Amino acid sequence: MSTPPAGTTKKRLLSRNDYLAPLPLPTGEKPQDVLNTIWRKNGVFIDIGNYSIGSAVMVMWPSLMVFLLMGYITPEPGMIWIGALIIIGIPSMILIHGLFREVPLPVRFNRQRREVCVPRDDGEYWIVPWETVTAAATQQSSVSQAGRATMGLLIIGFENPDPQAREDNKHYSLGFNCGGGTTAMALWECVRSYMEVGPQAVPESRVGIAPYEETQIGSIITDLRKGNLLGVFWGVFCITILGTYLAEKLQNLKLSYPPDLPYPDIAEWSKPLPPEQWAKRSPELEAAIAQREAELAAQAERELA
């Protein structure tokens, strides 16, 4: 079944799918690396990783704080602790298990060759043409007594270029739990804008050892020295209620030195090319981007009118 073209939206009662590629057309959103997916960036390639252990901590930590508060104010908190054990205990065990596993290799997007290196099992990898990559922002909603809850993903898909590949080795996809919708589009723009605009169009990597002033504690101390009490209170709130300090430390533990691709051929493939050897957009994509940019400009004018 073929993927709908970029710009197509399919809506149902409790779901929405926005198809972003192929072809990789502008979404109109600003690139935002909301999950720290950019592991390495230079003028030749960008490495996109899917290992957001810090995000998992920040999802579970507020629930833990709620259970601790409920246990403190409830005279008989036995059922609360049982609920906490079920709701938080199992994800915590999965998180701890993940800390002892190797960090998955990133997918490398080479903008000069307009190709993508997709690591696979058993030391294999695919070289996939950039313009064949698929992307979609998906949203699913559920309605309960507590109200409406919405979850969503950015899904980036790749097709094995080997026509003789086994059926179970023809497709591969990355799923980023970013909420779908415009957030997924902004995350996708980190890849699309890098490939179609340039490295200056996307954020720098926040993975690795950060300067002390940019750490959780360092930023609070900096705000305190400046007399920025609002910044201090916000930093303390993030650490105590959102769990950002633990998230930062676990991410540093696993991603202080993000893994590189171990393939000798890819080391050569990742070297810079003379500008005259850079691959060009297909005429189809060139025309589609021009049309899409004109549509976005007209939309912006209408919004300003």
Side-chain angles (χ1 to χ4, degrees):
M1 183 176 179
S2 61
T3 303
T8 304
T9 297
K10 292 187 177 181
K11 294 183 180 179
R12 295 182 179 177
L13 181 61
L14 295 175
S15 67
R16 173 183 174 128
N17 292 334
D18 294 289
Y19 296 94
L20 311 176
L23 299 167
L25 303 182
T27 64
E29 299 296 326
K30 181 180 178 180
Q32 292 184 348
D33 188 14
V34 294
L35 295 180
N36 292 343
T37 59
I38 300 176
W39 287 5
R40 192 176 286 108
K41 184 190 81 167
N42 55 43
V44 182
F45 62 82
I46 190 171
D47 282 354
I48 299 296
N50 190 17
Y51 187 85
S52 54
I53 195 165
S55 299
V57 171
M58 292 177 64
V59 169
M60 293 187 294
W61 187 272
S63 300
L64 175 61
M65 294 296 102
V66 170
F67 279 116
L68 289 176
L69 177 61
M70 294 174 61
Y72 177 76
I73 64 178
T74 303
E76 297 181 2
M79 292 301 296
I80 292 177
W81 299 136
I82 293 175
L85 184 63
I86 295 173
I87 295 175
I88 301 177
I90 296 176
S92 297
M93 293 176 63
I94 297 174
L95 178 66
I96 293 171
H97 179 260
L99 289 173
F100 290 94
R101 296 179 59 189
E102 292 289 332
V103 176
L105 295 175
V107 174
R108 178 165 295 178
F109 294 79
N110 188 317
R111 69 180 306 268
Q112 295 184 2
R113 297 179 184 271
R114 296 181 67 81
E115 293 177 334
V116 186
C117 177
V118 183
R120 300 298 290 123
D121 299 330
D122 302 324
E124 297 181 355
Y125 60 85
W126 301 344
I127 298 295
V128 179
W130 159 240
E131 293 186 20
T132 68
V133 174
T134 63
T138 69
Q139 282 187 330
Q140 299 286 335
S141 299
S142 60
V143 180
S144 66
Q145 293 179 346
R148 183 180 178 124
T150 301
M151 302 178 64
L153 298 170
L154 168 65
I155 301 174
I156 303 177
F158 311 91
E159 299 294 324
N160 191 337
D162 181 4
Q164 305 301 321
R166 302 188 313 270
E167 189 63 33
D168 61 354
N169 194 38
K170 288 185 176 182
H171 315 283
Y172 177 71
S173 63
L174 292 173
F176 300 92
N177 190 7
C178 58
T182 56
T183 305
M185 294 180 190
L187 188 61
W188 165 245
E189 278 293 339
C190 290
V191 177
R192 195 208 70 83
S193 294
Y194 174 84
M195 294 293 286
E196 298 297 342
V197 182
Q200 75 285 353
V202 302
E204 296 296 327
S205 173
R206 293 179 293 178
V207 170
I209 300 176
Y212 180 72
E213 294 78 9
E214 297 179 9
T215 64
Q216 293 290 311
I217 300 300
S219 61
I220 291 176
I221 293 176
T222 300
D223 286 335
L224 185 62
R225 289 173 177 171
K226 293 179 179 179
N228 182 8
L229 296 182
L230 183 60
V232 172
F233 288 138
W234 173 249
V236 172
F237 173 82
C238 290
I239 288 175
T240 57
I241 305 301
L242 301 182
T244 54
Y245 181 77
L246 179 60
E248 176 187 76
K249 293 307 175 186
L250 291 181
Q251 177 171 293
N252 289 344
L253 176 66
K254 300 298 291 185
L255 293 176
S256 290
Y257 300 95
D260 202 350
L261 299 184
Y263 319 116
D265 291 347
I266 295 304
E268 186 67 26
W269 177 84
S270 301
K271 292 180 179 179
L273 293 174
E276 62 273 13
Q277 295 182 19
W278 290 13
K280 307 295 183 183
R281 291 175 180 169
S282 67
E284 180 185 8
L285 178 58
E286 193 76 54
I289 287 179
Q291 179 180 349
R292 177 58 176 160
E293 288 177 343
E295 292 172 353
L296 291 173
Q299 179 181 337
E301 289 181 2
R302 288 194 299 269
E303 292 175 352
L304 291 174

PDB file of all heavy atoms in Angstrom, residues 198-214:
ATOM      1  N   GLY A 198      19.780  23.556   5.225  1.00  0.00           N
ATOM      2  CA  GLY A 198      21.166  23.573   5.652  1.00  0.00           C
ATOM      3  C   GLY A 198      21.286  23.414   7.158  1.00  0.00           C
ATOM      4  O   GLY A 198      20.296  23.537   7.899  1.00  0.00           O
ATOM      5  N   PRO A 199      22.496  23.145   7.656  1.00  0.00           N
ATOM      6  CA  PRO A 199      22.682  22.923   9.100  1.00  0.00           C
ATOM      7  C   PRO A 199      22.344  24.139   9.945  1.00  0.00           C
ATOM      8  O   PRO A 199      21.979  24.003  11.113  1.00  0.00           O
ATOM      9  CB  PRO A 199      24.165  22.549   9.209  1.00  0.00           C
ATOM     10  CG  PRO A 199      24.799  23.004   7.939  1.00  0.00           C
ATOM     11  CD  PRO A 199      23.738  22.951   6.896  1.00  0.00           C
ATOM     12  N   GLN A 200      22.460  25.340   9.377  1.00  0.00           N
ATOM     13  CA  GLN A 200      22.165  26.546  10.143  1.00  0.00           C
ATOM     14  C   GLN A 200      20.679  26.684  10.440  1.00  0.00           C
ATOM     15  O   GLN A 200      20.284  27.475  11.309  1.00  0.00           O
ATOM     16  CB  GLN A 200      22.661  27.785   9.389  1.00  0.00           C
ATOM     17  CG  GLN A 200      21.807  28.199   8.187  1.00  0.00           C
ATOM     18  CD  GLN A 200      21.983  27.324   6.962  1.00  0.00           C
ATOM     19  OE1 GLN A 200      22.848  26.447   6.930  1.00  0.00           O
ATOM     20  NE2 GLN A 200      21.182  27.559   5.930  1.00  0.00           N
ATOM     21  N   ALA A 201      19.843  25.918   9.777  1.00  0.00           N
ATOM     22  CA  ALA A 201      18.389  26.058   9.926  1.00  0.00           C
ATOM     23  C   ALA A 201      17.829  25.249  11.086  1.00  0.00           C
ATOM     24  O   ALA A 201      16.647  25.386  11.408  1.00  0.00           O
ATOM     25  CB  ALA A 201      17.688  25.634   8.629  1.00  0.00           C
ATOM     26  N   VAL A 202      18.653  24.399  11.699  1.00  0.00           N
ATOM     27  CA  VAL A 202      18.136  23.532  12.764  1.00  0.00           C
ATOM     28  C   VAL A 202      18.946  23.747  14.040  1.00  0.00           C
ATOM     29  O   VAL A 202      20.079  24.246  14.006  1.00  0.00           O
ATOM     30  CB  VAL A 202      18.194  22.053  12.337  1.00  0.00           C
ATOM     31  CG1 VAL A 202      17.411  21.833  11.060  1.00  0.00           C
ATOM     32  CG2 VAL A 202      19.623  21.583  12.155  1.00  0.00           C
ATOM     33  N   PRO A 203      18.372  23.382  15.198  1.00  0.00           N
ATOM     34  CA  PRO A 203      19.071  23.605  16.470  1.00  0.00           C
ATOM     35  C   PRO A 203      20.357  22.790  16.573  1.00  0.00           C
ATOM     36  O   PRO A 203      20.536  21.775  15.892  1.00  0.00           O
ATOM     37  CB  PRO A 203      18.045  23.144  17.522  1.00  0.00           C
ATOM     38  CG  PRO A 203      16.735  23.107  16.812  1.00  0.00           C
ATOM     39  CD  PRO A 203      17.035  22.807  15.379  1.00  0.00           C
ATOM     40  N   GLU A 204      21.242  23.253  17.444  1.00  0.00           N
ATOM     41  CA  GLU A 204      22.437  22.487  17.760  1.00  0.00           C
ATOM     42  C   GLU A 204      22.067  21.286  18.641  1.00  0.00           C
ATOM     43  O   GLU A 204      21.030  21.286  19.316  1.00  0.00           O
ATOM     44  CB  GLU A 204      23.459  23.357  18.492  1.00  0.00           C
ATOM     45  CG  GLU A 204      23.989  24.522  17.674  1.00  0.00           C
ATOM     46  CD  GLU A 204      24.758  24.079  16.452  1.00  0.00           C
ATOM     47  OE1 GLU A 204      25.409  23.012  16.509  1.00  0.00           O
ATOM     48  OE2 GLU A 204      24.714  24.792  15.433  1.00  0.00           O
ATOM     49  N   SER A 205      22.922  20.285  18.633  1.00  0.00           N
ATOM     50  CA  SER A 205      22.679  19.113  19.473  1.00  0.00           C
ATOM     51  C   SER A 205      22.783  19.489  20.954  1.00  0.00           C
ATOM     52  O   SER A 205      23.684  20.230  21.365  1.00  0.00           O
ATOM     53  CB  SER A 205      23.690  18.013  19.155  1.00  0.00           C
ATOM     54  OG  SER A 205      23.552  16.943  20.065  1.00  0.00           O
ATOM     55  N   ARG A 206      21.844  18.995  21.740  1.00  0.00           N
ATOM     56  CA  ARG A 206      21.890  19.170  23.190  1.00  0.00           C
ATOM     57  C   ARG A 206      22.309  17.895  23.896  1.00  0.00           C
ATOM     58  O   ARG A 206      22.208  17.782  25.119  1.00  0.00           O
ATOM     59  CB  ARG A 206      20.511  19.616  23.704  1.00  0.00           C
ATOM     60  CG  ARG A 206      20.117  21.019  23.238  1.00  0.00           C
ATOM     61  CD  ARG A 206      18.757  21.407  23.747  1.00  0.00           C
ATOM     62  NE  ARG A 206      17.713  20.592  23.161  1.00  0.00           N
ATOM     63  CZ  ARG A 206      16.420  20.701  23.457  1.00  0.00           C
ATOM     64  NH1 ARG A 206      16.023  21.586  24.352  1.00  0.00           N
ATOM     65  NH2 ARG A 206      15.525  19.917  22.865  1.00  0.00           N
ATOM     66  N   VAL A 207      22.776  16.929  23.114  1.00  0.00           N
ATOM     67  CA  VAL A 207      23.245  15.663  23.657  1.00  0.00           C
ATOM     68  C   VAL A 207      24.739  15.744  23.875  1.00  0.00           C
ATOM     69  O   VAL A 207      25.471  16.257  23.033  1.00  0.00           O
ATOM     70  CB  VAL A 207      22.900  14.501  22.700  1.00  0.00           C
ATOM     71  CG1 VAL A 207      23.594  13.223  23.123  1.00  0.00           C
ATOM     72  CG2 VAL A 207      21.394  14.303  22.657  1.00  0.00           C
ATOM     73  N   GLY A 208      25.203  15.247  25.005  1.00  0.00           N
ATOM     74  CA  GLY A 208      26.621  15.296  25.333  1.00  0.00           C
ATOM     75  C   GLY A 208      26.847  16.066  26.616  1.00  0.00           C
ATOM     76  O   GLY A 208      25.904  16.386  27.357  1.00  0.00           O
ATOM     77  N   ILE A 209      28.081  16.339  26.918  1.00  0.00           N
ATOM     78  CA  ILE A 209      28.443  17.036  28.147  1.00  0.00           C
ATOM     79  C   ILE A 209      28.222  18.532  27.952  1.00  0.00           C
ATOM     80  O   ILE A 209      28.905  19.172  27.147  1.00  0.00           O
ATOM     81  CB  ILE A 209      29.906  16.748  28.529  1.00  0.00           C
ATOM     82  CG1 ILE A 209      30.095  15.233  28.733  1.00  0.00           C
ATOM     83  CG2 ILE A 209      30.290  17.503  29.788  1.00  0.00           C
ATOM     84  CD1 ILE A 209      31.524  14.835  29.014  1.00  0.00           C
ATOM     85  N   ALA A 210      27.271  19.094  28.679  1.00  0.00           N
ATOM     86  CA  ALA A 210      26.929  20.515  28.544  1.00  0.00           C
ATOM     87  C   ALA A 210      27.787  21.358  29.484  1.00  0.00           C
ATOM     88  O   ALA A 210      28.234  20.882  30.534  1.00  0.00           O
ATOM     89  CB  ALA A 210      25.451  20.725  28.873  1.00  0.00           C
ATOM     90  N   PRO A 211      28.037  22.627  29.141  1.00  0.00           N
ATOM     91  CA  PRO A 211      28.709  23.532  30.082  1.00  0.00           C
ATOM     92  C   PRO A 211      27.917  23.625  31.384  1.00  0.00           C
ATOM     93  O   PRO A 211      26.684  23.515  31.386  1.00  0.00           O
ATOM     94  CB  PRO A 211      28.705  24.872  29.331  1.00  0.00           C
ATOM     95  CG  PRO A 211      28.535  24.514  27.890  1.00  0.00           C
ATOM     96  CD  PRO A 211      27.712  23.272  27.860  1.00  0.00           C
ATOM     97  N   TYR A 212      28.623  23.852  32.489  1.00  0.00           N
ATOM     98  CA  TYR A 212      27.972  23.842  33.802  1.00  0.00           C
ATOM     99  C   TYR A 212      26.815  24.833  33.867  1.00  0.00           C
ATOM    100  O   TYR A 212      25.775  24.547  34.456  1.00  0.00           O
ATOM    101  CB  TYR A 212      29.000  24.172  34.891  1.00  0.00           C
ATOM    102  CG  TYR A 212      28.402  24.192  36.280  1.00  0.00           C
ATOM    103  CD1 TYR A 212      28.027  23.007  36.907  1.00  0.00           C
ATOM    104  CD2 TYR A 212      28.193  25.399  36.942  1.00  0.00           C
ATOM    105  CE1 TYR A 212      27.467  23.020  38.177  1.00  0.00           C
ATOM    106  CE2 TYR A 212      27.632  25.424  38.208  1.00  0.00           C
ATOM    107  CZ  TYR A 212      27.279  24.232  38.821  1.00  0.00           C
ATOM    108  OH  TYR A 212      26.708  24.257  40.073  1.00  0.00           O
ATOM    109  N   GLU A 213      26.972  26.005  33.217  1.00  0.00           N
ATOM    110  CA  GLU A 213      25.923  27.029  33.276  1.00  0.00           C
ATOM    111  C   GLU A 213      24.634  26.571  32.606  1.00  0.00           C
ATOM    112  O   GLU A 213      23.566  27.128  32.872  1.00  0.00           O
ATOM    113  CB  GLU A 213      26.406  28.321  32.609  1.00  0.00           C
ATOM    114  CG  GLU A 213      27.558  29.018  33.321  1.00  0.00           C
ATOM    115  CD  GLU A 213      28.899  28.350  33.052  1.00  0.00           C
ATOM    116  OE1 GLU A 213      28.942  27.451  32.173  1.00  0.00           O
ATOM    117  OE2 GLU A 213      29.888  28.713  33.718  1.00  0.00           O
ATOM    118  N   GLU A 214      24.708  25.555  31.749  1.00  0.00           N
ATOM    119  CA  GLU A 214      23.521  25.075  31.057  1.00  0.00           C
ATOM    120  C   GLU A 214      22.899  23.862  31.726  1.00  0.00           C
ATOM    121  O   GLU A 214      21.865  23.367  31.266  1.00  0.00           O
ATOM    122  CB  GLU A 214      23.872  24.741  29.606  1.00  0.00           C
ATOM    123  CG  GLU A 214      24.345  25.953  28.802  1.00  0.00           C
ATOM    124  CD  GLU A 214      24.704  25.596  27.370  1.00  0.00           C
ATOM    125  OE1 GLU A 214      24.427  24.447  26.968  1.00  0.00           O
ATOM    126  OE2 GLU A 214      25.265  26.457  26.668  1.00  0.00           O
TER     127      GLU A 214
END
